[in-house]
Amino acid sequence: MATPSTVSLITPTGLSYQQPTGLFINNQFVGGLNGRTIDVINPATEEKICSVSEARENDVDRAVAAARKALNGPWKLATPTERSQYLYKLVTLMEESLEKLAAVESMDNGKPINSARGDIGEAIGCLRYYAGWADKIEGRVIDTSPQHFNYTRREPIGVCGQIIPWNFPLMMWAWKIGPAIACGNTVVIKTAEMTPLSALVAAELIMQAGFPPGVINIITGYGDIAGSALSRHMDVDKVAFTGSTAVGRKILKDAANSNLKKVTLELGGKSPNIVFNDANLDQAVRWIHNGVFSNMGQNCCAGSRIYVQSGIYDVFVQKLKEHVQQLVIGPPEDEKTTHGAQVSKTQLERILGYVESGKKAGARVETGGKRVDRPGCFMEPTIFSGVSSDMEIVREEIFGPVGVIAKFETVDEIVEASNDTTYGLASGIHTENLKTAIEMANKIKAGTVWVNQYNGVHWQLPFGGFKQSGIGRELGEEALFNYTQTKTVSVNLGIPVV
Ligand code: NAP
Ligand code: MG
């Protein structure tokens, strides 16, 4: 039966369901204490879908208190095997709800339904991976002398505040809660104001999976209010953030000015994607295309700085343009659509602003460059050539379907150009020459180097940024080190004090 904090909706794919709209605290959906709400918009139609509760500081306090109580109560008593079982149960329930979660994600974010299905699959894969880790988090025995017994314990950090963006809403949610829960922490996670719906649907599954109340709390709210309250909170032990570098900087300051909570940051990028003369041309064109246009370019690791070696430059540009024409721009619910809406009008306008800036600076539009002539926030896939390294469109993260393409001659030149950025999240190299690939991989300053592929993010592989693209790593075993703290225990077996 519908509760007061639930609305009946029909997704554009034709699925009827009950959408929770409250804050998820202590396994209950509750309204915000101040009674305010946030309108949720479908960017493909620019129509309102529903409203969700807006968490203010006092709601953040409630959620943190719930997480603290769970941490000191039932969650402390849960065995690693039990933590694993809760996560596996959640995985099963998410698999059963995959179509619903994908339909909601596509409606809320504007991404094609097929991409949304892929994202939910990724979220499930990530949670399954961390379910497997929960009972394999171990300390060590370290021998210093026959008179001592030393060992380390990997203890949870405590209450984790987690703040996520709108580009992969449920996937980012899974990246955050998976390792945190596997390690025995409790969480308060804030969704992006533009895409709160899928996490609230998943909240119902958390309840069904039997997690004790307060272990996972989900709040919807604005970044500068609820997000900032989390990062300033004196009873939050760690904050994990994914989003822009500008906000990451604020979070680090908030942590420093409050209780020096641990901080991990996954931030922006302006990643180079490099094609050598000897690359498999057809494959390289496809990977470059995928690198810059996947998820309508709203991808932190987007390979948006494309560099092509001079011997194949002209033919490459031509082939890339032909490939771009094959993108099917259309309603996200249409199975054939491969290029959906940008997340919001604000983002669309921001992207168009960059396109103007590129034109003004003298760059040439090879393809695209305009808003698509149809209702909704649709942007043409766009490629600029004739760019120079000082242009805004080459230096700044556009977070839309806009790539810049430039020519290069030598390895030394391309290493320098690739690293001429404050970012260092990802990179791509396309060559059939193993020596070139390895040399480039060693010299590029980025957290991920993809060779003859792009966007190959996998839950088993650590992901994160060099330079101003972040602090710490998510995914893989490495994420577990960011959600545990090592305690060293040293036992004296009989040496008297001198
Ligand atoms: P954003 O403005 O940085 O927002 C990210 C999250 O932070 C949202 O939940 C936002 O809330 C919240 N926030 C905003 N101001 C805050 C504050 N003062 N204190 C605490 N939280 C605050 O980024 P976005 O526009 O959503 O996403 C795009 C950016 O994220 C891009 O720069 C992209 O590169 C980056 N990104 C990075 C990765 C990665 O893994 N490295 C992944 C995805 C995206 P609101 O929703 O209310 O604004
Ligand atoms: Mg939306």
Side-chain angles (χ1 to χ4, degrees):
M1 216 187 74
T3 65
S5 48
T6 300
V7 290
S8 299
L9 292 178
I10 302 176
T11 66
T13 57
L15 198 129
S16 304
Y17 80 106
Q18 297 294 320
Q19 172 67 53
T21 58
L23 310 174
F24 184 69
I25 301 176
N26 261 328
N27 279 7
Q28 284 179 329
F29 290 105
V30 296
L33 289 172
N34 298 15
R36 298 171 195 242
T37 58
I38 301 176
D39 285 350
V40 184
I41 307 294
N42 174 345
T45 60
E46 295 190 67
E47 283 163 12
K48 179 176 159 184
I49 304 168
C50 62
S51 319
V52 296
S53 297
E54 189 213 323
R56 311 287 293 193
E57 282 88 347
N58 45 4
D59 298 305
V60 172
D61 287 343
R62 276 199 294 173
V64 170
R68 176 64 60 192
K69 193 162 169 227
L71 184 80
N72 292 335
W75 205 231
K76 198 176 188 169
L77 302 175
T79 64
T81 305
E82 283 164 345
R83 296 204 300 263
S84 171
Q85 284 167 333
Y86 286 123
L87 282 169
Y88 276 126
K89 188 80 208 294
L90 177 61
V91 162
T92 304
L93 293 165
M94 284 175 69
E95 281 174 325
E96 289 166 11
S97 299
L98 192 145
E99 196 54 38
K100 176 172 157 186
L101 289 165
V104 171
E105 196 80 311
S106 167
M107 168 174 72
D108 196 3
N109 168 281
K111 65 178 71 198
I113 181 67
N114 266 316
S115 315
R117 287 189 189 111
D119 287 6
I120 308 303
E122 292 288 318
I124 291 170
C126 173
L127 290 174
R128 187 187 291 113
Y129 171 76
Y130 285 110
W133 265 117
D135 57 0
K136 298 167 192 70
I137 296 163
E138 295 165 352
R140 302 165 68 189
V141 172
I142 302 169
D143 198 9
T144 55
S145 81
Q147 288 85 19
H148 288 92
F149 172 50
N150 311 300
Y151 64 97
T152 58
R153 282 168 54 84
R154 305 262 308 275
E155 297 190 356
I157 292 175
V159 173
C160 298
Q162 304 181 311
I163 302 171
I164 55 175
W166 43 258
N167 53 345
F168 296 99
L170 203 68
M171 204 161 106
M172 292 296 113
W173 180 86
W175 284 26
K176 293 281 180 286
I177 69 164
I181 294 302
C183 293
N185 301 280
T186 58
V187 309
V188 176
I189 185 162
K190 187 197 90 66
T191 57
E193 72 190 62
M194 281 185 282
T195 53
L197 300 185
S198 55
L200 294 176
V201 173
E204 291 182 313
L205 307 180
I206 285 170
M207 261 188 293
Q208 287 171 32
F211 281 95
V215 172
I216 300 171
N217 305 278
I218 302 170
I219 57 171
T220 48
Y222 294 112
D224 54 358
I225 298 168
S228 153
L230 260 183
S231 43
R232 281 183 287 114
H233 208 288
M234 292 302 287
D235 203 28
V236 168
D237 302 303
K238 173 200 165 111
V239 65
F241 168 78
T242 296
S244 60
T245 295
V247 173
R249 220 180 280 283
K250 283 189 193 165
I251 286 180
L252 209 49
K253 277 191 198 151
D254 281 344
N257 291 335
S258 54
N259 60 347
L260 270 179
K261 53 181 67 63
K262 316 282 179 264
V263 179
T264 45
L265 304 173
E266 292 289 353
L267 308 176
K270 188 77 182 178
S271 299
N273 206 353
I274 304 156
V275 188
F276 285 87
N277 285 337
D278 65 2
N280 175 327
L281 193 60
D282 283 330
Q283 283 296 303
V285 167
R286 282 158 198 263
W287 284 119
I288 293 288
H289 183 269
N290 168 288
V292 61
F293 296 130
S294 126
N295 208 40
M296 288 67 70
Q298 304 166 137
N299 185 355
C300 52
C301 46
S304 53
R305 282 192 293 140
I306 307 161
Y307 296 102
V308 181
Q309 209 168 11
S310 55
I312 54 162
Y313 181 82
D314 291 335
V315 56
F316 189 92
V317 172
Q318 190 49 38
K319 277 183 180 284
L320 182 61
K321 277 159 68 174
E322 284 163 20
H323 208 73
V324 172
Q325 310 306 326
Q326 290 170 23
L327 272 173
V328 183
I329 304 177
E333 66 273 20
D334 190 330
E335 297 285 340
K336 292 189 292 299
T337 296
T338 55
H339 187 93
Q342 304 306 132
V343 76
S344 69
K345 193 148 178 240
T346 315
Q347 281 297 317
L348 178 67
E349 281 163 0
R350 195 170 159 260
I351 297 162
L352 289 167
Y354 274 111
V355 169
E356 278 317 302
S357 148
K359 284 185 190 161
K360 252 191 219 139
R364 187 169 55 254
V365 178
E366 289 284 348
T367 183
K370 296 190 299 298
R371 180 177 183 168
V372 179
D373 186 17
R374 54 167 295 141
C377 308
F378 291 83
M379 175 71 200
E380 290 180 348
T382 302
I383 300 279
F384 276 104
S385 65
V387 294
S388 57
S389 61
D390 56 337
M391 290 183 187
E392 257 183 359
I393 55 168
V394 177
R395 305 209 75 79
E396 295 180 18
E397 180 177 50
I398 299 178
F399 227 59
V402 182
V404 298
I405 191 161
K407 204 185 285 189
F408 75 94
E409 305 282 346
T410 66
V411 165
D412 287 347
E413 177 195 342
I414 193 56
V415 167
E416 196 183 324
S418 300
N419 291 333
D420 179 19
T421 170
T422 55
Y423 292 117
L425 191 58
S427 56
I429 296 159
H430 305 267
T431 173
E432 295 292 290
N433 184 325
L434 189 61
K435 189 173 160 284
T436 309
I438 303 286
E439 183 182 353
M440 289 296 298
N442 288 343
K443 289 183 174 170
I444 284 189
K445 296 189 173 75
T448 294
V449 181
W450 284 301
V451 178
N452 294 333
Q453 59 167 330
Y454 206 84
N455 283 329
V457 174
H458 191 282
W459 49 81
Q460 287 178 261
L461 303 174
F463 181 80
F466 278 30
K467 299 197 269 182
Q468 294 185 34
S469 286
I471 299 179
R473 289 293 175 273
E474 295 198 287
L475 304 183
E477 185 182 1
E478 291 216 15
L480 303 171
F481 292 96
N482 288 311
Y483 282 100
T484 50
Q485 46 195 349
T486 301
K487 179 181 279 174
T488 300
V489 182
S490 182
V491 183
N492 179 357
L493 297 177
I495 301 178
V497 66
V498 285

